[in-house]
Amino acid sequence: MTNQYRDFTDKKISTLFWQYALPAIIGTSVNTLYNIIDATLIGHFIGREALSATGLILPIMNFATAIGVLVGVGSASRISILLGQKAYDKAEKLVGTSFMLSLLLSGSALLTMLYFIDPLLYFVGASNVTHSYAKDFLEIFLPGSLFLTLAFNFNNMMRACGFPFKAMITMFISVIANIILAPIFIIIFDMGMQGAAIATTISMIISFLFVMHHFTNKKSTIRLYWHNIRLNLDSIKGILSIGMSPFAMQLAASVIVVFINWQLNNYAPISHINSDDAIAAYANANRLITLIIMIVIGVNQGMQPIVGYNYGCKNLKRVKETFFYAVKVATAITSIGFLLGMFFPHILVSAFSSDQDMIDLSSVALNFVTAAYVFVGFQMVTTSFFQCIGMATISIILSLSRQVLILLPMLYILPLFLGVNGVWAAPPISDFLSTALAYIAIYWYFKSINKRHGLNKAPKTSNNKPQK
């Protein structure tokens, strides 16, 4: 057993957790940071209409990212389990299948979106004013999203293979590149939305080249070989069975943004609010809460290889310990999001605009959508935990409960009585109810394994002895 794999069973959970979680947080936050950087420059240097267009771009960008999540998280989870089982050859075959699957899924998706780009933009809520701004960005971003998908995918697998710090550096470099390039193309070259897209695309390519260098390097523990770049049915089943839950979560996030845009188009004028302004206000709030969500997803991905490996080794004591530690960290993070959204909304949203009316409207949106954020960390970690141990069905149900099964009805019913405030109020109600469902699911699971394995009655054992 190599040192990085021995750490999964020997090292103190809190130390091991941050070793993997910190790089993962940076990796998962990259796409949101791209969007925040672009939106900040767009809002201040291009204009209000362009800022509203970024709210239309967001669900489409999330969909492109969702494919990377589908293959990347699924591949990383399977690799962690295979490494725990010492099945190294199967892990390398899975890496090759993961590469080919990313190319096929991402390539077909981006070509379809490019072909239907005009009706797609009107479908997500574009007006005649915002359509051209969004189209300028997407015509460049969508082809470049292939590199984002591959970079995200292989970055996840890099962490699962025992190189979390290298994975962090890889994604961090791309963020730095975007911070440098975006002002150059937007302000100096005066290229507007196209400049923002070019800067983002170049940054994604840089990240892709770094992860490919790792997996083709002879010193890498698990490598990408040409003869493994093919579709293996068993590997595909393993990837999709686990990756489907976070994919559903990411896809649901895109669908929900679209539905919210529709409802804002319907109800904002009734409240004497311009529809484009309402969409921009929600987008401003959504960027900030998405950053919190992505940090928690990074926490989940830090948890994933530890839980996956120890679950594969039948070390259930460390599986439980890792889960409860991740819950504490995630809850602390979402509680910070709650406090910021409640008490400092004007300061946060002013990053995107200097227009006072836009700041006021965005602050109201942020107040509402963070109202129940204290509970979100627990709900998300629980959802991810079931994904990590291969219980994909429960994970999918929990993820959809928060973003579809509860939220969509709330978004339809509440505006009938509360108008545009009903749109803002739907997310916190969904957060609370879905957390209650997650608590029931995890309580049932731990009660069953405690009874089955006698964990509550077992004597204390050292960390390097798996609990049988």
Side-chain angles (χ1 to χ4, degrees), residues 93-158:
K93 288 180 180 178
L94 188 139
V95 171
T97 296
S98 180
F99 182 86
M100 181 59 72
L101 193 60
S102 290
L103 284 179
L104 291 176
L105 293 179
S106 183
S108 58
L110 72 88
L111 288 174
T112 302
M113 288 189 287
L114 278 173
Y115 185 79
F116 294 103
I117 191 167
D118 289 318
L120 176 64
L121 283 172
Y122 286 118
F123 175 79
V124 298
S127 67
N128 291 331
V129 175
T130 58
H131 176 275
S132 61
Y133 289 104
K135 186 175 181 179
D136 284 346
F137 184 92
L138 288 176
E139 285 181 331
I140 296 172
F141 170 81
L142 285 175
S145 67
L146 179 63
F147 298 101
L148 173 65
T149 300
L150 288 167
F152 189 90
N153 178 8
F154 278 81
N155 196 267
N156 275 276
M157 290 192 289
M158 189 187 297

Side-chain angles (χ1 to χ4, degrees), residues 17-271:
F17 175 85
W18 284 111
Q19 179 182 333
Y20 281 83
L22 189 58
I25 287 169
I26 293 178
T28 55
S29 302
V30 164
N31 192 46
T32 305
L33 290 173
Y34 285 151
N35 191 268
I36 289 175
I37 294 165
D38 290 343
T40 299
L41 294 170
I42 287 168
H44 287 283
F45 293 97
I46 301 178
R48 193 164 172 168
E49 293 82 5
L51 182 62
S52 181
T54 62
L56 308 171
I57 293 166
L58 188 59
I60 299 173
M61 291 179 70
N62 283 343
F63 178 73
T65 306
I67 298 173
V69 170
L70 170 64
V71 183
V73 174
S75 299
S77 297
R78 288 301 304 168
I79 283 176
S80 294
I81 294 172
L82 289 172
L83 292 178
Q85 297 169 346
K86 312 300 186 294
Y88 303 112
D89 289 341
K90 288 184 179 180
E92 289 190 333
K93 288 180 180 178
L94 188 139
V95 171
T97 296
S98 180
F99 182 86
M100 181 59 72
L101 193 60
S102 290
L103 284 179
L104 291 176
L105 293 179
S106 183
S108 58
L110 72 88
L111 288 174
T112 302
M113 288 189 287
L114 278 173
Y115 185 79
F116 294 103
I117 191 167
D118 289 318
L120 176 64
L121 283 172
Y122 286 118
F123 175 79
V124 298
S127 67
N128 291 331
V129 175
T130 58
H131 176 275
S132 61
Y133 289 104
K135 186 175 181 179
D136 284 346
F137 184 92
L138 288 176
E139 285 181 331
I140 296 172
F141 170 81
L142 285 175
S145 67
L146 179 63
F147 298 101
L148 173 65
T149 300
L150 288 167
F152 189 90
N153 178 8
F154 278 81
N155 196 267
N156 275 276
M157 290 192 289
M158 189 187 297
R159 281 192 295 272
C161 290
F163 295 92
F165 183 76
K166 194 172 183 179
M168 176 184 71
I169 294 299
T170 299
M171 300 306 283
F172 189 69
I173 288 172
S174 67
V175 174
I176 295 299
N178 196 46
I179 291 173
I180 295 171
L181 293 173
I184 293 174
F185 284 99
I186 294 174
I187 303 172
I188 297 177
F189 293 164
D190 194 24
M191 296 182 68
M193 298 293 282
Q194 291 178 331
I198 291 171
T200 300
T201 300
I202 293 174
S203 302
M204 293 186 295
I205 292 173
I206 291 172
S207 180
F208 165 75
L209 293 175
F210 270 87
V211 293
M212 284 298 102
H213 177 266
H214 170 83
F215 278 96
T216 55
N217 193 310
K218 293 181 179 180
K219 296 181 181 179
S220 298
T221 308
I222 301 296
R223 293 180 60 191
L224 174 64
Y225 291 99
W226 282 108
H227 64 268
N228 284 332
I229 301 179
R230 57 180 180 173
L231 296 178
N232 178 277
L233 186 58
D234 289 337
S235 294
I236 292 174
K237 288 180 180 178
I239 292 169
L240 298 184
S241 66
I242 295 178
M244 192 58 68
S245 172
F247 171 77
M249 186 183 298
Q250 193 80 11
L251 183 62
S254 297
V255 172
I256 287 301
V257 172
V258 173
F259 194 77
I260 287 175
N261 287 347
W262 290 351
Q263 292 296 76
L264 290 174
N265 271 326
N266 291 333
Y267 289 98
I270 298 175
S271 301

Side-chain angles (χ1 to χ4, degrees), residues 8 20 76 80 159-160 300-310 388:
F8 288 138
Y20 281 83
S80 294
R159 281 192 295 272
N300 289 342
Q301 291 185 12
M303 172 184 72
Q304 173 265 317
I306 309 171
V307 168
Y309 190 94
N310 284 284
C388 292

Side-chain angles (χ1 to χ4, degrees), residues 346-400:
H346 282 77
I347 295 174
L348 295 174
V349 299
S350 63
F352 305 116
S353 177
S354 56
D355 186 294
Q356 191 58 49
D357 290 338
M358 178 59 65
I359 292 173
D360 291 341
L361 186 59
S362 300
S363 297
V364 172
L366 188 57
N367 272 154
F368 271 102
V369 298
T370 57
Y373 248 52
V374 172
F375 307 107
V376 171
F378 172 81
Q379 198 275 345
M380 291 184 63
V381 170
T382 302
T383 300
S384 180
F385 175 79
F386 283 111
Q387 165 207 319
C388 292
I389 62 175
M391 300 181 71
T393 301
I394 295 177
S395 182
I396 290 172
I397 292 172
L398 291 179
S399 64
L400 292 180

